[in-house]
Amino acid sequence: MSTAFATAAAVGADASGAEELAPAEFARIAAIMQSEARIALSPAKTTLVCSRLSRRLRTHGLTTFRDYLSLVDRDAEERAAMVVALTTNHTHFFRENHHFEHFREHVVPELRQRAEAGHPIRIWSAGCSSGEEVYTIVMCLLGPSRSGARWVFDRDVKLLATDIAPHVVAATRRGVYSEMTVEPIPEAYRREWLQAQGNEFAIDPQARQLVTARELNLFGQWPMRQQYDVIFCRNVMIYFDDPAKAELEQRFAQMLRPGGHLYIGHSERLIGPAADMLSSCGQTIYRRDAGQ
Ligand SMILES: C[S@@+](CC[C@H](N)C(=O)[O-])C[C@H]1O[C@@H](n2cnc3c(N)ncnc32)[C@H](O)[C@@H]1O
């Protein structure tokens, strides 16, 4: 049996049985996730953690979580890689479409008015994963025809997309998606804003240039100086514990200009002081009160 095969088999055995990751080792991993990314992992996630980390063990030729954890303790780069391996990056275009219907109908006309009055427009997709969310926002802003999109290209309109995981930030920057991935995009948008590239589809370069993609841990310092007109942070906070959610929601509320909108995921809700600054204006849609 080759060493590579022996290693894979051993890790495969770990990955399939929760008992291979001892409770104390799981607790150590959960503590790192909590302190590095505020991601809360309950013991029910043991099998998931085993299977997601098995590749990290193989990469380093390790067969036990004990050895892997001692590597993580002495190697900050591997600690970061472990955090990334344990993030969930599931996303798709036009996810939770009622948000985009609201955005198109109620928010885009207001943003257009503000842009035409000379205000900069800033939109943030926080926890953007591979970019489907931010490019959905871009398409909703631009509309289905290039001629109708002039107000965006001719004014100071910028979108920021951030995520803790470098590989999804790179995918956002690239803006190239498989045929299956672009399926949920309505035909009219696809025709105008996607370009065939071999078997894949690239976001139109002019549309892509509206977006800046950056690595950012939401619990670190935020380098942005200006306030935002709209923040989307959807299906991200579900992974955090309540104090972390409350802290983040308050930071989002402060980061919005008065009158600005916050969209959160369908299973999320506002908790803590943010609730005093934001009013509900739709299903998981909030607006910062003018006086706040
Ligand atoms: C399930 S995806 C959601 C993507 C998109 N917002 C959507 O709703 O389709 C969650 C994303 O949040 C990111 N994430 C998790 N914890 C984070 C943190 N502390 N800081 C920044 N991003 C984080 C993950 O890397 C992942 O890409």
Side-chain angles (χ1 to χ4, degrees):
M1 192 188 275
S2 74
T3 316
F5 181 76
T7 305
V11 172
D14 282 346
S16 64
E19 69 283 0
E20 301 292 344
L21 177 59
E25 292 160 351
F26 178 84
R28 176 80 192 109
I29 293 169
I32 295 171
M33 292 305 287
Q34 170 69 29
S35 75
E36 302 275 325
R38 304 285 290 271
I39 292 175
L41 289 178
S42 76
K45 295 272 161 64
T46 301
T47 309
L48 181 81
V49 168
C50 276
S51 94
R52 288 200 180 162
L53 291 185
S54 62
R55 205 207 274 202
R56 299 301 318 154
L57 268 72
R58 281 204 289 276
T59 300
H60 292 285
L62 299 173
T63 55
T64 68
F65 278 100
R66 195 180 55 136
D67 289 345
Y68 181 64
L69 278 169
S70 82
L71 171 67
V72 161
D73 279 340
R74 56 179 195 274
D75 181 344
E77 218 171 283
E78 185 53 36
R79 195 157 53 246
M82 183 186 92
V83 171
V84 166
L86 293 177
T87 58
T88 297
N89 311 117
H90 174 77
T91 186
H92 56 85
F93 283 104
F94 287 85
R95 184 180 195 179
E96 296 182 40
N97 194 37
H98 70 277
H99 281 158
F100 300 109
E101 283 166 3
H102 177 276
F103 179 68
R104 266 191 306 238
E105 202 172 314
H106 301 283
V107 180
V108 172
E110 187 186 313
L111 295 180
R112 181 176 182 158
Q113 255 184 10
R114 286 182 64 82
E116 288 174 350
H119 296 285
I121 301 301
R122 297 290 179 267
I123 300 175
W124 181 15
S125 163
C128 62
S129 191
S130 35
E132 287 86 335
E133 179 176 88
V134 77
Y135 292 120
T136 301
I137 304 168
V138 165
M139 286 186 260
C140 290
L141 267 179
L142 296 173
S145 81
R146 198 172 292 267
S147 56
R150 286 260 56 91
W151 74 269
V152 180
F153 295 129
D154 292 349
R155 308 282 167 173
D156 181 9
V157 178
K158 291 184 180 143
L159 294 95
L160 174 69
T162 65
D163 201 284
I164 196 171
H167 68 290
V168 294
V169 173
T172 302
R173 234 171 248 146
R174 189 163 170 259
V176 177
Y177 299 95
S178 70
E179 190 169 356
M180 207 170 88
T181 307
V182 301
E183 192 106 317
I185 304 177
E187 181 56 31
Y189 291 97
R190 266 200 256 174
R191 242 181 284 125
E192 195 64 87
W193 306 117
L194 292 184
Q195 295 180 354
Q197 205 172 86
N199 290 337
E200 298 183 303
F201 293 87
I203 301 290
D204 170 87
Q206 208 182 1
R208 202 185 56 220
Q209 274 162 22
L210 296 168
V211 175
T212 301
R214 292 265 183 273
E215 278 171 46
L216 182 75
N217 183 341
L218 288 170
F219 295 97
Q221 286 227 318
W222 294 353
M224 305 84 89
R225 298 260 166 271
Q226 77 284 50
Q227 288 186 311
Y228 279 73
D229 295 280
V230 187
I231 299 174
F232 284 75
C233 185
R234 307 181 315 150
N235 309 301
V236 179
M237 290 188 278
I238 34 167
Y239 301 104
F240 306 146
D241 59 25
D242 280 353
K245 282 180 201 164
E247 178 187 321
L248 192 56
E249 287 171 355
Q250 188 180 18
R251 288 178 81 188
F252 284 140
Q254 286 162 344
M255 202 62 183
L256 279 176
R257 68 162 169 82
H261 288 82
L262 173 67
Y263 294 83
I264 65 177
H266 68 283
S267 61
E268 296 158 343
R269 69 197 163 86
L270 279 193
I271 50 173
D276 298 333
M277 298 172 69
L278 302 166
S279 298
S280 169
C281 56
Q283 194 191 339
T284 53
I285 308 169
Y286 300 90
R287 183 165 201 170
R288 182 168 177 178
D289 299 327
Q292 294 286 337

